[in-house]
Amino acid sequence: MVKKIGGRGRVMEQWNKLICCKLFISESRNRSALEAIEEAGRRWREAEAVIVNKLEDKAYNRVRYTIVSYCDIDGHNNNSSSSPLQQMVMAMVEAAFETINLENHSGAYPRLGVVDEILFHPLADASLHQAAMLARAVAIDLATKFQVPVYLYGAAHPTWKALDIIRRELGYYTPNSTGNQWAGWTVPEALPQKPNEGPISMSKERGIAMIGARPWIGLYNVPIMTTDISMAQKLAKMVSEKGGGLPTVQTLGLAHGDDHTEIACMLLEPNKIGADQVQNRLEKLGAQEGLHVKKGYFTDFSSEKIVEKYINLISAKKESPRSRL
């Protein structure tokens, strides 16, 4: 397929099948660690795998890299060992394990591992099956190379087990430190649930990893102008499907900064229940409690924008091979 790129009038062949990986790492305050992780990723920039976005949150002490590359898995045979995306993700994972110790980590966002979550989405004409095959390949690679227990979810799991169910089984949602913080390791070394890949025990320095594949989801955070975490959690529950609120919406009420809390929302079917509906519901609920609910924000680009940014970045690299992200 041929596509005109933006307003620059250039034409290039667009990859028909792309996979997006969202790599969540439990660190955002250690600058040298982030630099090492990003440098490990840049080594693959000539292989048409690129970081198209990064979100750092100091209060949560968490970073997310949005990485995209073409899909070279044919849907029948898993040839992912040569996948630029798998190689880039594994290089960044290795750098994370080398520079981050979970025992020294604390933040206002739940986590169970240094490499806490890796999520694969199909983009353009790629299939969910292809994204799931890549997720399972990365899970085996990570578990084998680093001896880290891996729990699969979504399309990567044999029965499509949901991420939130796995997290509840492992105690993910319960803070273990003062001020609604998560600090150090939170789960017994003998895991309460057998992982899909890797050992049944783990190091406290690395923790575990959750790896999944699913259709595109929206990640939307809404600031609540109160420091009362119990009130934020109450509103979060009321807007979520689990609490009888909006279908396909999952939420977390979290401490965030000195003067407010935040409701982190996962929109599992954003084309059906989107950010506007979540925002309106929270504003109404907040008004009933006498609270000011600020305008929320997406933590990543839309899937269409990510594809556009990927094409533009690849096009720019073809013109200037020495360019860096």
Side-chain angles (χ1 to χ4, degrees), residues 224-239 261 263 280-293:
I224 310 294
M225 301 312 292
T226 178
T227 57
D228 184 350
I229 188 66
S230 63
M231 180 58 68
Q233 291 169 340
K234 176 183 176 181
L235 295 181
K237 183 176 181 180
M238 292 173 71
V239 82
T261 51
I263 297 179
N280 291 338
R281 179 67 63 91
L282 280 172
E283 288 177 1
K284 290 178 181 178
L285 292 171
Q288 293 172 8
E289 301 290 345
L291 296 175
H292 175 52
V293 176

Side-chain angles (χ1 to χ4, degrees), residues 169-314:
E169 291 173 347
L170 296 175
Y172 176 89
Y173 297 107
T174 305
N176 69 329
S177 187
T178 58
N180 294 284
Q181 300 283 307
W182 283 259
W185 177 241
T186 61
V187 175
E189 289 184 50
L191 293 169
Q193 298 292 332
K194 183 180 178 181
N196 298 98
E197 302 292 344
I200 58 173
S201 62
M202 86 310 297
S203 73
K204 294 181 179 181
E205 294 83 4
R206 292 179 174 177
I208 67 174
M210 290 166 282
I211 300 179
R214 60 166 302 119
W216 190 260
I217 61 174
L219 300 175
Y220 185 73
N221 291 0
V222 183
I224 310 294
M225 301 312 292
T226 178
T227 57
D228 184 350
I229 188 66
S230 63
M231 180 58 68
Q233 291 169 340
K234 176 183 176 181
L235 295 181
K237 183 176 181 180
M238 292 173 71
V239 82
S240 71
E241 180 175 34
K242 185 175 176 61
L246 296 170
T248 71
V249 173
Q250 297 178 356
T251 59
L252 278 174
L254 301 167
H256 196 263
D258 297 328
D259 62 350
H260 71 283
T261 51
E262 190 168 80
I263 297 179
C265 306
M266 184 182 296
L267 314 179
L268 299 182
E269 296 184 38
N271 292 331
K272 294 183 179 179
I273 303 293
D276 289 346
Q277 290 154 288
V278 170
Q279 185 73 39
N280 291 338
R281 179 67 63 91
L282 280 172
E283 288 177 1
K284 290 178 181 178
L285 292 171
Q288 293 172 8
E289 301 290 345
L291 296 175
H292 175 52
V293 176
K294 296 186 70 174
K295 179 66 176 175
Y297 59 96
F298 283 101
T299 69
D300 209 343
F301 300 114
S302 67
S303 58
E304 295 82 6
K305 184 67 174 179
I306 285 174
V307 171
E308 178 185 340
K309 286 180 69 67
Y310 172 78
I311 295 169
N312 289 340
L313 286 166
I314 290 299

Side-chain angles (χ1 to χ4, degrees), residues 27-154:
E27 184 58 67
S28 67
R29 303 169 188 168
N30 184 334
R31 180 55 46 188
S32 62
L34 298 188
E35 289 174 354
I37 293 166
E38 290 158 29
E39 179 58 32
R42 277 194 288 266
R43 296 172 194 156
W44 296 98
R45 65 185 184 274
E46 302 304 328
E48 301 196 7
V50 294
I51 299 172
V52 299
N53 197 21
K54 177 176 81 166
L55 176 72
E56 297 178 61
D57 194 300
K58 296 293 179 64
Y60 293 154
N61 201 7
R62 184 174 172 91
V63 63
R64 186 205 60 228
Y65 296 99
T66 303
I67 311 163
V68 178
S69 187
Y70 60 87
C71 178
D72 60 354
I73 302 173
D74 64 14
H76 299 287
N77 298 312
N78 186 351
N79 298 318
S80 64
S81 60
S82 61
S83 164
L85 184 54
Q86 180 175 350
Q87 292 172 338
M88 183 173 181
V89 169
M90 289 304 299
M92 295 174 73
V93 164
E94 182 172 10
F97 284 140
E98 289 176 348
T99 56
I100 302 168
N101 184 339
L102 190 64
E103 289 187 293
N104 300 329
H105 180 273
S106 65
Y109 201 100
R111 78 291 178 280
L112 293 173
V114 168
V115 180
D116 195 56
E117 182 187 352
I118 307 176
L119 173 58
F120 291 90
H121 298 294
L123 296 176
D125 294 331
S127 70
L128 182 58
H129 177 65
Q130 290 168 318
M133 290 177 72
L134 185 55
R136 289 192 289 266
V138 169
I140 293 170
D141 205 359
L142 190 152
T144 302
K145 185 171 183 179
F146 302 110
Q147 289 300 295
V148 169
V150 176
Y151 292 85
L152 297 173
Y153 69 90

